[in-house]
Amino acid sequence: MYIIIGRKQLTQQDGVLGIGIPLLFMRIKYVQLVESQRLKCFMAMCEVTSSALFGPRRGHTSVVMNNKMFVLGGTDVSSKNDVWSTGDGGETWNLIAASAGWNGRSEHASVVFDNKIYIFGGVRDNEIWYSENEGVDWVEMASPAWGYRSEHSSVVYDGQMYIIGGFEGPYYLSDVWSSGFHGLHKHSL
């Protein structure tokens, strides 16, 4: 039998619970429940919060840098250009930039590279922006050689950023671009 009392840790003051179960037994069961819950969350997705401060959205991107998670842009009814972060695994969120330097966007891509956050493209956008201070300030890079690009992916591999595929209405793309320190270069497949 498991009894869940929120996130309260049982103490000596809890004594014997109203149903006659000694505290020592409850401590053991509480620890088993916590460990069991951790195992379940390791093996499946578990909800951390049902109402994050950044509000409902889709088409956003997320990255991890300096032990923080970041949420960048997205849309609900209108495109957003905000930046949010959490350092506690998603329970509490902090607004970093209500209006980042880039236009509101969704379906973009983002990565962390060389201790900077980068965002690439998005619906009706072909810009590349980066932040060196965890999303507070943003700098636009030179325009890339590709046109508008959305629904693409980005990764960091072998010391370079890669942009892969996407959509440039009405066409789906199969191209791959990489960037070291000398701009973006197209790779043929």
Side-chain angles (χ1 to χ4, degrees):
M1 177 173 106
Y2 293 109
I3 299 176
I4 303 171
I5 309 174
R7 291 181 175 242
K8 182 177 189 247
Q9 178 145 4
L10 299 174
T11 66
Q12 189 65 33
Q13 295 154 348
D14 292 316
V16 174
L17 298 177
I19 54 176
I21 300 172
L23 174 65
L24 179 59
F25 179 72
M26 283 303 300
R27 276 194 187 144
I28 292 169
K29 289 297 184 183
Y30 179 81
V31 169
Q32 288 175 346
L33 175 63
V34 169
E35 291 305 315
S36 173
Q37 188 65 23
R38 285 186 186 147
L39 182 59
K40 286 180 189 174
C41 287
F42 175 74
M43 299 171 74
M45 299 301 290
C46 292
E47 184 176 70
V48 176
T49 182
S50 62
S51 57
L53 287 178
F54 53 75
R57 64 184 63 208
R58 66 172 185 79
H60 58 283
T61 58
S62 302
V63 295
V64 174
M65 184 171 88
N66 298 332
N67 293 317
K68 295 178 187 172
M69 290 186 287
F70 293 84
V71 168
L72 310 165
T75 187
D76 52 10
V77 174
S78 60
S79 293
K80 300 179 178 300
N81 65 338
D82 54 355
V83 178
W84 293 79
S85 77
T86 180
D88 66 4
E91 289 186 36
T92 58
W93 289 86
N94 301 303
L95 180 62
I96 302 302
S99 181
W102 33 273
N103 293 328
R105 67 190 62 219
S106 64
E107 310 297 337
H108 52 288
S110 60
V111 296
V112 171
F113 178 71
D114 195 28
N115 210 35
K116 297 177 186 85
I117 300 173
Y118 286 84
I119 63 169
F120 307 95
V123 175
R124 295 179 301 282
D125 281 299
N126 72 332
E127 305 165 333
I128 301 174
W129 291 77
Y130 70 90
S131 174
E132 295 181 291
N133 56 6
E134 297 186 348
V136 175
D137 300 304
W138 292 85
V139 176
E140 184 177 7
M141 295 180 66
S143 294
W146 66 73
Y148 295 141
R149 178 175 301 247
S150 62
E151 302 179 37
H152 51 294
S153 62
S154 59
V155 296
V156 172
Y157 173 74
D158 198 24
Q160 296 184 73
M161 297 180 288
Y162 285 82
I163 307 299
I164 304 169
F167 181 74
E168 186 178 2
Y171 304 104
Y172 289 95
L173 306 169
S174 62
D175 55 350
V176 177
W177 296 75
S178 71
S179 173
F181 295 100
H182 307 294
L184 289 159
H185 307 282
K186 187 172 184 176
H187 290 265
S188 297
L189 294 177

